[in-house]
Amino acid sequence: MSGILMAAGGTDLDSPQCITRDAEIQKLGWRMSVCADQADAVLAKLAQLQLEEWESPAGRAYRTTLALQAAALRRGRDALREAAAVTLRHAQNVASKLPPGF
């Protein structure tokens, strides 16, 4: 497998570069998790804005727009959480393939 990676321009799993890449992948996964948490904070603020009760047609349109934006943000947050989980699992897989002592 290592030969295939090397031939394809990848790195050998036994190389120090691979160890560094593992740390970078893990860092990326954690950064994605933080972004998802920040999306949660924005969703909470949007929920507060939606509670404003304007009885006019403009108020209803405002709340509808906020609801649509919140739904899109929730989908994005969920996708980001899933991507973070996959990335962190990949980092663990890379780490588990390293030779003992690294």
Side-chain angles (χ1 to χ4, degrees):
M1 174 82 144
S2 294
I4 294 170
L5 287 172
M6 293 297 288
T11 60
D12 184 2
L13 290 176
D14 297 338
S15 73
Q17 185 180 6
C18 186
I19 297 166
T20 303
R21 195 169 281 170
D22 165 47
E24 290 174 2
I25 294 168
Q26 190 171 35
K27 185 177 179 180
L28 176 63
W30 287 115
R31 287 174 60 194
M32 288 190 294
S33 294
V34 168
C35 288
D37 291 342
Q38 290 172 340
D40 280 335
V42 172
L43 282 167
K45 289 179 184 178
L46 284 175
Q48 289 175 344
L49 290 173
Q50 280 182 300
L51 294 178
E52 306 225 358
E53 293 189 26
W54 296 344
E55 298 300 324
S56 68
R60 285 189 296 277
Y62 171 77
R63 286 191 301 278
T64 299
T65 300
L66 284 178
L68 291 171
Q69 292 301 314
L73 184 56
R74 271 191 294 280
R75 286 190 303 274
R77 181 220 37 212
D78 293 345
L80 191 55
R81 285 206 191 284
E82 185 177 333
V86 168
T87 302
L88 290 169
R89 277 194 305 272
H90 176 66
Q92 287 176 345
N93 288 339
V94 170
S96 70
K97 292 179 182 176
L98 293 174
F102 278 94

